[in-house]
Amino acid sequence: GAVVSQHPSRVICKSGTSVKIECRSLDFQATTMFWYRQFPKKSLMLMATSNEGSKATYEQGVEKDKFLINHASLTLSTLTVTSAHPEDSSFYICSALARGDGETQYFGPGTRLLVL
Amino acid sequence: ILNVEQSPQSLHVQEGDSTNFTCSFPSSNFYALHWYRWETAKSPEALFVMTLNGDEKKKGRISATLNTKEGYSYLYIKGSQPEDSATYLCAFDSSGGYQKVTFGTGTKLQVIP
């Protein structure tokens, strides 16, 4: 089956630093990737939709200057949390849409971010 | 904000028991209902995509039903096995474009050998 990887799986950083999270589709091309954030005991929330070669579409309430998304190729999307603060600590997960596969999303394993 | 609820939040069952849990979603603007199986530290696995009222889908010992008029879907697991232990997540798709997919909070299942 289709595989999506995320790197890193876990990151701890100091407040004020920026953190980049990579999402890769390993064996298929993904023109569309999605970034989600999960708050403790709450649902996954869609942050943004990333389309290869164009600007990401952000959901209402998500700061695009805070969460920079780049989808430079058909297999890679990156999420950069700029000037991270403790309230950005969360579980971030990406998914990739495999075209021609019933529009199924394939999820990465997630990245746990802890900002001290 | 769309309200997608799953119940129970968690449950423990003995190996061999059958179990079921519920996903409730808005009954309007329905496009599809997705079920995922999510093991800790792994990627969620797509189980079913359900689109029609009255749909019933089956994959091995796992099956799901859909009622779009009243806004609920049931996931059934027959003869639970320890390897079924996972979080089962539903997602309500109101547009077909994934721009409006809302996930439930999940039901965490623990099957006791």
Side-chain angles (χ1 to χ4, degrees):
Chain A
V3 177
V4 174
S5 70
Q6 267 183 254
H7 178 79
S9 59
R10 189 183 296 259
V11 58
I12 301 173
C13 68
K14 292 182 179 180
S15 184
T17 60
S18 294
V19 176
K20 181 186 281 189
I21 303 170
E22 292 185 348
C23 177
R24 291 181 186 275
S25 57
L26 297 184
D27 51 2
F28 66 98
Q29 293 184 332
T31 54
T32 304
M33 290 184 173
F34 305 92
W35 286 96
Y36 298 89
R37 180 176 177 177
Q38 185 178 33
F39 293 91
K41 297 186 179 180
K42 293 192 176 181
S43 307
L44 283 175
M45 289 178 57
L46 179 65
M47 297 175 66
T49 301
S50 168
N51 294 297
E52 187 266 338
S54 63
K55 290 183 179 180
T57 303
Y58 290 81
E59 293 299 297
Q60 191 173 6
V62 178
E63 300 174 61
K64 59 182 179 182
D65 295 330
K66 171 79 173 174
F67 299 99
L68 299 178
I69 291 172
N70 184 282
H71 193 155
S73 77
L74 287 171
T75 59
L76 173 64
S77 177
T78 60
L79 168 69
T80 302
V81 183
T82 62
S83 187
H85 288 93
E87 57 266 29
D88 298 324
S89 299
S90 192
F91 186 68
Y92 295 86
I93 190 166
C94 73
S95 69
L97 200 59
R99 298 289 181 190
D101 189 13
E103 299 285 327
T104 300
Q105 281 193 85
Y106 295 94
F107 288 86
T111 296
R112 188 161 298 282
L113 171 64
L114 177 62
V115 184
L116 301 176
Chain B
I1 297 176
L2 299 176
N3 200 23
V4 180
E5 295 182 349
Q6 289 186 245
S7 63
Q9 189 173 3
S10 66
L11 75 162
H12 294 77
V13 300
Q14 291 289 330
E15 181 177 353
D17 287 351
S18 295
T19 186
N20 66 85
F21 23 92
T22 308
C23 173
S24 301
F25 51 86
S27 55
S28 58
N29 298 319
F30 177 87
Y31 181 82
L33 192 282
H34 303 257
W35 279 103
Y36 295 93
R37 179 175 178 277
W38 196 353
E39 287 184 64
T40 304
K42 293 185 180 179
S43 305
E45 171 197 352
L47 290 175
F48 305 113
V49 180
M50 310 183 79
T51 56
L52 298 175
N53 184 43
D55 250 358
E56 286 190 35
K57 298 216 171 177
K58 190 175 180 181
K59 185 176 182 179
R61 293 179 290 99
I62 304 176
S63 60
T65 61
L66 179 69
N67 184 322
T68 60
K69 293 185 178 179
E70 294 182 43
Y72 64 84
S73 175
Y74 292 137
L75 189 78
Y76 300 90
I77 301 178
K78 185 179 179 182
S80 303
Q81 299 297 308
E83 58 265 30
D84 295 328
S85 299
T87 295
Y88 292 83
L89 202 62
C90 70
F92 172 71
D93 183 350
S94 63
S95 72
Y98 283 94
Q99 301 275 355
K100 298 292 181 185
V101 173
T102 304
F103 286 81
T105 51
T107 293
K108 188 169 184 178
L109 172 67
Q110 184 72 38
V111 181
I112 303 163

